[in-house]
Amino acid sequence: MPDFTPAVETLLRTIAGAGGSGAQFAREPRARYRLSGTDYVVDRRSFFPLTGGGYVTDGGEDSAPVRLTARGKEWMEQHPVPHGGARGPYRPRGRRPAPRQALASRARFAYAGGFSAELVERTVVITCPNNDRGGATLPVDGWEERAIDRHPTLHEIDGPTVSGGYALRWREDPRTDGDLLVQSLAIIRAESPRRS
């Protein structure tokens, strides 16, 4: 019995591993065949020693499953797979995972007209712009009450801090994080800055 090249031997063992129903191959470009449902692709010339020597058969139909013959079974009995699986049959590694779609990143930071805003657990922290004199340009007095009156889900505003920041706390608001950032910046920018 002949010794086959590694490619031919792997093909023979793969066909044998398919059992009595045979291994179904589909034509690929450049004179190749793919084992259906797998990534295993083999050159057409790898079939020649097996079909020519009577080790496998497709019954004369190119599209029929390829089965092991009695001579192929005899060769398999005389050449067990070495320990460690060298030159064994093709074994698919499992299905390839579907490409992951990038998750939409949650909006956490926004900037507009000198104001910056950051969202932490439905609280938007807004930093007012620098007034070029070592302080911050703050909105006019009383804007906090007006904002809370106009926006029912805005339940508390803390500030200003020493650095010129406010914390707008939103509760049970159905809007997305990005929408809350934009809304918070719009509220504070609509108020004319204090003259100091």
Side-chain angles (χ1 to χ4, degrees), residues 1-13 15 33 40 42-58 66-69 71-72 75:
M1 292 248 162
D3 284 329
F4 296 122
T5 65
V8 173
E9 184 175 336
T10 299
L11 175 59
L12 180 59
R13 292 188 188 280
I15 294 168
Y33 288 88
Y40 179 56
V42 62
D43 286 328
R44 184 176 67 181
R45 65 176 174 259
S46 295
F47 283 94
F48 296 158
L50 299 178
T51 55
Y55 297 94
V56 299
T57 183
D58 60 5
V66 181
R67 293 181 177 84
L68 207 60
T69 64
R71 187 166 188 195
W75 188 95

Side-chain angles (χ1 to χ4, degrees), residues 5 58 63 78 96 102 105 114 117 137 146 154-155 158 173 180:
T5 65
D58 60 5
S63 60
Q78 293 178 10
R96 289 183 177 176
S105 59
T137 304
R146 287 192 297 278
L154 177 61
H155 72 96
D158 295 336
D173 194 299
L180 285 183

